[in-house]
């Protein structure tokens, strides 16, 4: 019997109206501190979006706390839970923003959105319905390292650029469009936007790529899934895995995703370990000789470092800043 790993990584979102976002942010931040959770959490008037890591028992306590909060009564949390050996983050950020996923699309998924497909239903439609077209709603650096076989992708940096690419699929309005992303959150708005633009048969993969991998083995997802924690990418396909990305330097097949060591570039791209070493962590000769280039890191991931940082210190620092702004 395989031994479970001691830590969990949780990915989730919840579209629900939150009044008093600053007060809720403080309450949420303190709970995470008290339960040794790290990660990135966004709170907005439209809802909650987070990725956190912690010991499995602490993550279970966190999920129970969220589900029992009257604020979210009548809503469902769809937690994507992965096992891990350690924390997947080095810091805790709980921030207030205008949206829980930047889009500027002017839609409200609580009013109308694409039909949700469970991973099992998605698999059935994807493999057996000739009218189905898959559309990837992620950024280019994400789908460059992994995507569903046959899916349409857009050359966009973020979801705000979707209106600039909608003409690329206008001719598919008579098809069944299934949108997908990492955990499902982008598709809530992307599918709603497609409906606004006259697409009628719009679906979304509920729980995203991560849930499809966990529940259905990730069949026909080629490459790796880009994630927003220290892992950078994760394997989702246990059935017929493939490598689709190429090393930015030598063009050999590689799914080793890194950040350029030059912080002013910080490009997300695939560079094989041997080229990464030769380039001293950089993506180009210009970045290699840049005066601000960070020291070579064989993992290709650079987290922001702060002296004497702790989640509690970060919370107190924010409180001092808020008080200072009052005077």
């Amino acid at each position: 019997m395989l031994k479970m790993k001691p830590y969990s990584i949780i990915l989730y979102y919840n579209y629900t109206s939150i009044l008093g976002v600053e007060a809720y942010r403080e309450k949420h931040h303190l709970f995470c501190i008290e339960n040794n959770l790290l990660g990135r959490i966004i709170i907005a008037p439209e809802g909650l979006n987070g990725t956190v890591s912690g010991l499995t028992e602490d993550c279970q306590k966190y999920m129970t706390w969220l589900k029992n909060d009257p604020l979210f009564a009548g809503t469902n949390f769809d937690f994507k839970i992965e096992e891990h050996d350690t924390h997947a983050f080095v810091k805790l950020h709980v921030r207030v923003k205008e949206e829980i996923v930047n889009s500027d699309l002017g839609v409200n998924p609580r009013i109308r959105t694409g039909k949700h497909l469970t991973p099992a239903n998605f698999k059935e439609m994807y493999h057996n319905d000739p009218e189905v077209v898959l559309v990837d709603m992620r950024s280019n650096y994400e789908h460059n390292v992994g995507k569903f076989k046959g899916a349409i992708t857009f050359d966009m940096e973020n979801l705000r650029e979707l209106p600039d690419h909608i003409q690329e699929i206008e001719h598919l309005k008579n098809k069944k469009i299934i949108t997908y992303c990492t955990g499902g959150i982008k598709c809530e708005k992307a599918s709603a936007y497609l409906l606004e633009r006259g697409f009628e048969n719009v679906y979304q993969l509920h729980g995203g790529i991560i849930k499809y991998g966990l529940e259905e083995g990730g069949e026909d997802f080629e490459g790796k899934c880009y994630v927003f924690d220290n892992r950078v990418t994760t394997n989702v396909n246990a059935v017929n895995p493939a490598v689709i990305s190429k090393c930015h330097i030598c063009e050999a097949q590689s799914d080793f995703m890194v950040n350029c060591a030059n912080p002013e570039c910080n490009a997300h791209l695939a560079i094989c370990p041997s080229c990464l070493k030769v380039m001293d962590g950089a993506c180009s000769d210009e970045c290699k000789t840049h005066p601000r280039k960070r020291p070579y890191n064989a993992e290709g991931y650079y987290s922001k470092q702060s002296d004497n940082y702790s989640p509690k210190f970060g919370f107190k620092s924010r409180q001092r800043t808020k008080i200072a702004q009052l005077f």
Side-chain angles (χ1 to χ4, degrees):
M1 183 176 179
L2 292 175
K3 183 179 179 181
M4 289 184 62
K5 296 179 180 180
Y7 284 78
S8 292
I9 303 169
I10 306 172
L11 177 65
Y12 70 90
Y13 66 89
N14 190 306
Y15 279 101
T16 192
S17 178
I18 299 179
L19 302 176
V21 288
E22 281 292 347
Y24 180 70
R25 191 210 69 80
E26 292 190 15
K27 171 186 172 182
H28 203 118
H29 198 156
L30 280 173
F31 185 92
C32 291
I33 291 172
E34 292 165 358
N35 291 278
N36 306 304
L37 299 170
L38 300 177
R40 297 187 182 99
I41 298 162
I42 298 173
I43 297 164
E46 67 176 9
L48 182 65
N49 173 23
T51 310
V52 301
S53 67
L55 289 169
T56 297
E57 55 267 33
D58 292 330
C59 287
Q60 288 292 339
K61 188 184 298 183
Y62 178 63
M63 290 185 286
T64 299
W65 180 70
L66 285 174
K67 287 187 286 189
N68 290 339
D69 191 326
L71 179 63
F72 303 106
T75 68
N76 293 314
F77 276 96
D78 181 41
F79 296 107
K80 280 69 70 175
I81 309 167
E82 298 179 86
E83 295 180 10
H84 202 45
D85 293 314
T86 62
H87 263 299
F89 296 92
V90 296
K91 291 186 177 182
L92 171 65
H93 295 291
V94 186
R95 296 187 171 111
V96 169
K97 294 189 177 183
E98 292 183 5
E99 297 180 274
I100 56 176
V101 59
N102 292 328
S103 72
D104 294 334
L105 295 178
V107 294
N108 185 346
R110 285 184 290 142
I111 296 176
R112 186 168 72 151
T113 189
K115 300 170 187 174
H116 289 76
L117 294 174
T118 65
N121 289 338
F122 167 84
K123 183 178 179 179
E124 172 67 22
M125 286 185 67
Y126 173 38
H127 288 112
N128 299 307
D129 192 333
E131 293 300 306
V132 161
V133 177
L134 266 58
V135 182
D136 194 317
M137 290 300 172
R138 299 172 302 153
S139 302
N140 48 22
Y141 61 86
E142 297 175 78
H143 60 66
N144 283 343
V145 75
K147 68 183 185 69
F148 281 106
K149 185 177 181 180
I152 292 173
T153 60
F154 301 130
D155 182 17
M156 61 184 186
E157 289 294 323
N158 54 62
L159 197 58
R160 289 191 297 271
E161 297 176 17
L162 179 58
D164 298 330
H165 296 275
I166 201 70
Q167 74 279 0
E168 297 171 31
I169 58 172
E170 287 278 0
H171 64 289
L172 299 172
K173 282 188 174 180
N174 63 328
K175 299 289 186 178
K176 296 176 183 176
I177 304 295
I178 303 180
T179 64
Y180 73 86
C181 58
T182 306
I185 185 171
K186 288 183 178 180
C187 291
E188 297 283 5
K189 290 190 173 182
S191 63
Y193 180 74
L194 292 184
L195 289 168
E196 289 288 317
R197 289 297 299 263
F199 291 80
E200 296 181 1
N201 296 311
V202 182
Y203 302 81
Q204 57 178 296
L205 171 55
H206 190 51
I209 300 163
I210 297 297
K211 198 173 186 71
Y212 178 70
L214 291 170
E215 295 189 0
E216 295 296 329
E219 184 177 358
D220 285 335
F221 183 84
E222 299 180 318
K224 290 185 177 180
C225 182
Y226 190 96
V227 290
F228 297 88
D229 57 58
N230 291 11
R231 297 172 298 167
V232 185
T233 60
T234 186
N235 292 313
V236 297
N237 190 335
V239 180
N240 55 351
V243 178
I244 66 168
S245 50
K246 294 183 178 180
C247 173
H248 176 72
I249 306 299
C250 71
E251 296 192 346
Q253 279 197 319
S254 175
D255 56 10
F256 190 63
M257 200 74 172
V258 304
N259 292 112
C260 177
N262 174 10
E264 294 187 12
C265 171
N266 206 44
H268 307 265
L269 31 73
I271 301 180
C272 69
S274 58
C275 285
L276 189 69
K277 187 173 182 179
V278 170
M279 295 300 293
D280 201 33
C283 72
S284 66
D285 289 331
E286 182 181 359
C287 287
K288 186 177 180 179
T289 58
H290 195 280
R292 290 193 60 205
K293 191 190 79 67
R294 295 168 288 207
Y296 168 69
N297 178 353
E299 295 181 355
Y301 178 80
Y302 301 88
S303 59
K304 293 181 180 179
Q305 299 297 322
S306 299
D307 294 336
N308 303 314
Y309 170 82
S310 72
K312 193 171 184 179
F313 175 83
F315 179 79
K316 290 182 176 179
S317 176
R318 183 181 177 88
Q319 292 299 98
R320 288 194 296 270
T321 300
K322 285 179 62 180
I323 292 172
Q325 291 173 344
L326 296 175
F327 297 95

